[in-house]
Amino acid sequence: MEFVIRKAGYEDIPGIMAVMKDAQKAMEHPEWFCSDREEYMKKHIETYGFTIVAEPVSGSSLAGNSLTGSSLAGFFLIKFPGLSEENLGHLLNYSEEELQRTVHMDMAVVHPSWQGNGLQSRMLRKAEEVLADSPVPRNRLLATVHPDNRYSLHNMQSNGYEIVKTAVLYGGLPRYVLQKIL
């Protein structure tokens, strides 16, 4: 299956929201995922980070299919938390300089119709490429995964992320905190 993996633009917001809505409806374990509102997603197109999307190449069996509710197959939200209290680096006792270099690999969602195509890993690698080309050095990559979400955990660990802490986050939900230093 062929996909274009690219940075999202504001025109992708409806597709991103449709992917999130459809994925959440299909989830066996909704506690694994914390969804967000459209306004939050808009802020992460350029202001507070960036977003990577996976778009099926025209001619793919489900590309643009109305059954999927979206022309996108998935998205990966990348967040620059800076010195904010929500920076996961505080849990790891990062210095102020390290907090400034921290990136949250915040949210990866693949539409149920496209799961099984390795899109989470592909979008993650594209995000890391974008970060490597950034003029602002950001080399401390952090993510959270529900301990029972073996798919996301496997994807992150296969891409060099290591579990560095177990914490209760997002209003009482258990999470592994994973780290990769570039």
Side-chain angles (χ1 to χ4, degrees):
M1 188 63 58
E2 289 186 58
F3 296 89
V4 174
I5 310 294
R6 60 175 174 78
K7 279 182 77 174
Y10 290 108
E11 69 279 2
D12 293 309
I13 293 292
I16 288 169
M17 297 309 295
V19 168
M20 188 166 17
K21 179 182 170 189
D22 289 350
Q24 197 159 26
K25 275 196 270 182
M27 276 192 176
E28 182 180 349
H29 301 284
E31 68 275 11
W32 289 359
F33 179 66
C34 296
S35 66
D36 278 295
R37 296 189 174 141
E38 186 171 336
E39 188 59 35
Y40 180 82
M41 304 311 274
K42 285 180 182 176
K43 289 178 182 178
H44 287 84
I45 294 295
E46 292 178 0
T47 308
Y48 298 131
F50 61 93
T51 302
I52 299 295
V53 293
E55 186 173 30
V57 172
S58 293
S60 297
S61 60
L62 294 174
N65 186 330
S66 61
L67 293 176
T68 67
S70 172
S71 61
L72 299 178
F75 69 91
F76 207 129
L77 187 112
I78 289 67
K79 181 177 185 176
F80 304 146
L83 298 176
S84 71
E85 288 182 20
E86 64 187 28
N87 189 324
L88 295 168
H90 289 294
L91 295 173
L92 306 175
N93 298 314
Y94 279 7
S95 69
E96 189 171 305
E97 180 183 342
E98 290 169 326
L99 290 171
Q100 292 283 23
R101 296 170 155 261
T102 298
V103 177
H104 288 181
M105 310 311 271
D106 195 46
M107 180 188 312
V109 180
V110 175
H111 192 279
S113 300
W114 295 106
Q115 291 174 356
N117 285 289
L119 291 176
Q120 181 178 356
S121 287
R122 291 162 71 177
M123 290 186 294
L124 176 64
R125 288 191 296 272
K126 179 65 173 182
E128 290 179 358
E129 286 175 24
V130 170
L131 289 167
D133 290 339
S134 173
V136 178
R138 291 189 169 96
N139 66 343
R140 297 196 170 264
L141 312 183
L142 299 175
T144 62
V145 176
H146 189 282
D148 295 333
N149 188 344
R150 67 182 188 272
Y151 304 108
S152 286
L153 183 59
H154 172 76
N155 283 327
M156 298 306 287
Q157 289 178 316
S158 295
N159 283 284
Y161 290 75
E162 297 178 2
I163 298 171
V164 292
K165 189 169 189 77
T166 301
V168 176
L169 302 169
Y170 315 124
L173 301 173
R175 292 291 188 263
Y176 286 141
V177 178
L178 295 100
Q179 172 182 261
K180 180 177 182 178
I181 299 177
L182 298 177

